[in-house]
Amino acid sequence: MSENISKPAKAAEKEVVLSGIRATGHLHLGNYFGALSKFVRMQHDYDSRYFVADLHALTTSPDPSALHENVRNIVAEYLAAGLNPDEATLFVQSDVPEVSEMYLLLNMHVGIGELMRTASFKDKARKALGINSDSDDIEKEIIGTDSNKRVNAGLLTYPTLMAVDILIQKAKKVPVGKDQEQHLELTRRFARRFNSFYNVELFPEPTNFDFGGKPVKVPGLDGSGKMGKSEGNCIYLIDDEKTLRKKVMRAVTDEGPKEPNQPVSQPVENLFTLLELTSAPEVVQQYRDAYADCSIRYGDLKKQLAEDILKITLPIRERVIDLQNDDVTIRRILARGAEQARETAAKTLAEVRHVMGIRRF
Ligand code: ADP
Ligand code: TRP
């Protein structure tokens, strides 16, 4: 057998997986089930690269000291949840300056119309402008003179930057939650457009990854559809036991089923969804059956849910506390990660520059 065949696959031969989370606060169960737990499961089998998106955070949260703290916290939470810097490349987005240059270049092939039609842009612009209606006619408000400080160009070009994060590493798989699928669709579109405009095969078209299942949407405890930092309805990985129990016990429910097999209301279905993510299938079935025959007590369901969530989050919390003040370890890991991420990024950027005609004399 030749030496090449007998050696285990080197990182460079494995498929590249890339994902990141914005540095806008501590990580919650939505981030964990939508993204981080997948990062951990994938790290050994793929050439995995995970980063903290600090530049993306600037589009909505430009507070310098909060940003720096958030980056540190997320790195600590990545490590505490089981990411291993010997298996995966861990880095901070702004430590790879090639990303910013390619962002400028790719923007030349992105239309402002398609960016303005992106759902996440419309949501964030509406929030920034204080518009409550679902009306699509926000263009006029955005162009209005008073909007220029509140809806910045970084927010509009957010999908370009995200596409660059992915394309510069030539990633094929991008584990993210359901809410990011439109951004991934745009990334594929930009990759196709670039390849075809220059008649090259530079970028693969990346897809979401969910171990064969459907991408999850973790619901909030307030009866709303999505757990999210800006929704104020989160269970954080670093919540202490008392806080976490209190949050779960206060979760919105309804008056309880009045007749057998009654349809389940949204807030109660949310609790079942959380139970499905955190508890054993028999436990979930037991509560589903109790709902169907009207014997369910929501208090018991919540106690069970809090218990099962704590089994996941408490060990993570303990490791976060150990790591949070260990800047030496964090600095070492991030320096190595940045070096590894920049190696690929510099190669891709050189190709992009060449293809676009930016060449040295
Ligand atoms: P947030 O929505 O709280 O601001 P981010 O936008 O930074 O969080 O999301 C980081 C990652 O976590 C993305 O992959 C996103 O899809 C995932 N994610 C966030 N919230 C949820 C949720 N409620 N359910 C599933 N995945 C989620
Ligand atoms: N937009 C993603 C979010 O809000 C974060 C992100 C930025 C990302 N760049 C990325 C995710 C590249 C995957 C790949 O969660």
Side-chain angles (χ1 to χ4, degrees):
M1 220 190 264
S2 86
E3 224 186 54
N4 261 349
I5 295 169
S6 60
K7 268 194 213 156
K10 284 189 298 210
E13 293 158 0
K14 294 182 183 174
E15 214 166 47
V16 176
V17 165
L18 176 104
S19 195
I21 298 183
R22 289 182 307 143
T24 49
H26 285 288
L27 300 185
H28 52 77
L29 285 186
N31 302 137
Y32 183 76
F33 289 110
L36 185 51
S37 63
K38 296 195 267 180
F39 300 179
V40 175
R41 276 180 73 188
M42 295 176 89
Q43 64 181 336
H44 180 68
D45 296 330
Y46 295 90
D47 175 353
S48 305
R49 304 166 188 207
Y50 304 123
F51 67 99
V52 180
D54 56 346
L55 299 176
H56 274 110
L58 285 173
T59 61
T60 51
S61 330
D63 172 351
S65 55
L67 182 64
H68 188 65
E69 276 308 304
N70 286 337
V71 172
R72 174 194 288 116
N73 290 337
I74 293 187
V75 175
E77 287 161 15
Y78 274 1
L79 295 167
L83 285 184
N84 175 355
D86 292 328
E87 304 250 42
T89 299
L90 305 180
F91 63 101
V92 178
Q93 187 182 31
S94 61
D95 280 342
V96 183
E98 291 79 5
V99 163
S100 300
E101 184 175 339
M102 190 172 140
Y103 162 67
L104 182 149
L105 297 174
L106 188 65
N107 259 330
M108 307 305 167
H109 287 278
V110 172
I112 50 173
E114 61 191 339
L115 292 174
M116 284 184 86
R117 283 191 297 273
T118 309
S120 62
F121 173 71
K122 287 206 269 188
D123 283 352
K124 286 177 179 155
R126 265 194 214 108
K127 259 187 207 156
L129 294 167
I131 302 172
N132 293 323
S133 83
D134 265 358
S135 136
D136 267 357
D137 193 23
I138 56 167
E139 284 82 356
K140 264 200 235 115
E141 304 277 351
I142 289 170
I143 292 168
T145 48
D146 188 36
S147 79
N148 44 8
K149 271 192 245 139
R150 284 175 289 162
V151 183
N152 63 68
L155 195 60
L156 182 66
T157 52
Y158 186 113
T160 315
L161 183 57
M162 176 159 164
V164 169
D165 291 327
I166 298 167
L167 300 178
I168 207 165
Q169 300 292 335
K170 299 202 176 165
K172 291 205 174 135
K173 293 197 164 63
V174 182
V176 281
K178 197 169 165 42
D179 60 313
Q180 293 299 312
E181 294 212 311
Q182 192 181 22
H183 286 151
L184 266 188
E185 183 55 49
L186 283 170
T187 303
R188 286 191 287 273
R189 198 199 292 172
F190 300 160
R192 265 196 307 276
R193 186 180 295 162
F194 188 97
N195 285 345
S196 102
F197 186 88
Y198 293 106
N199 199 18
V200 289
E201 283 295 322
L202 202 55
F203 300 123
E205 289 185 33
T207 51
N208 198 352
F209 185 77
D210 225 299
F211 297 97
K214 276 198 294 183
V216 294
K217 178 165 140 196
V218 179
L221 291 169
D222 53 355
S224 77
K226 187 194 162 211
M227 184 177 287
K229 282 165 221 153
S230 45
E231 282 38 76
N233 61 3
C234 294
I235 294 183
Y236 292 98
L237 298 179
I238 47 104
D239 276 343
D240 62 45
E241 202 173 326
K242 206 169 137 204
T243 309
L244 194 146
R245 282 187 202 283
K246 215 192 261 173
K247 283 184 181 173
V248 176
M249 294 316 286
R250 280 191 191 151
V252 176
T253 53
D254 56 22
E255 290 169 351
K258 301 268 182 290
E259 50 191 75
N261 300 314
Q262 192 178 306
V264 184
S265 68
Q266 186 64 51
V268 175
E269 190 54 44
N270 287 355
L271 292 184
F272 277 121
T273 303
L274 286 166
L275 202 65
E276 270 156 12
L277 288 164
T278 51
S279 307
E282 321 72 88
V283 174
V284 182
Q285 197 53 50
Q286 177 197 325
Y287 284 97
R288 289 257 184 216
D289 292 345
Y291 185 91
D293 68 15
C294 303
S295 65
I296 192 159
R297 286 174 17 186
Y298 291 145
D300 293 345
L301 167 68
K302 289 176 176 177
K303 269 192 208 132
Q304 175 82 46
L305 182 59
E307 219 51 58
D308 291 334
I309 294 175
L310 282 165
K311 276 193 205 129
I312 298 171
T313 58
L314 274 193
I316 297 179
R317 175 184 152 80
E318 277 164 29
R319 288 192 290 269
V320 171
I321 293 170
D322 282 347
L323 279 160
Q324 240 165 3
N325 298 316
D326 190 355
D327 270 2
V328 176
T329 302
I330 290 182
R331 195 176 306 128
R332 181 175 45 78
I333 291 169
L334 293 180
R336 182 155 60 116
E339 203 181 307
Q340 290 165 345
R342 287 193 70 181
E343 207 182 302
T344 316
K347 270 191 210 143
T348 309
L349 177 62
E351 288 172 323
V352 169
R353 289 177 63 120
H354 184 83
V355 162
M356 292 179 80
I358 302 174
R359 302 174 195 163
R360 295 235 152 73
F361 289 94

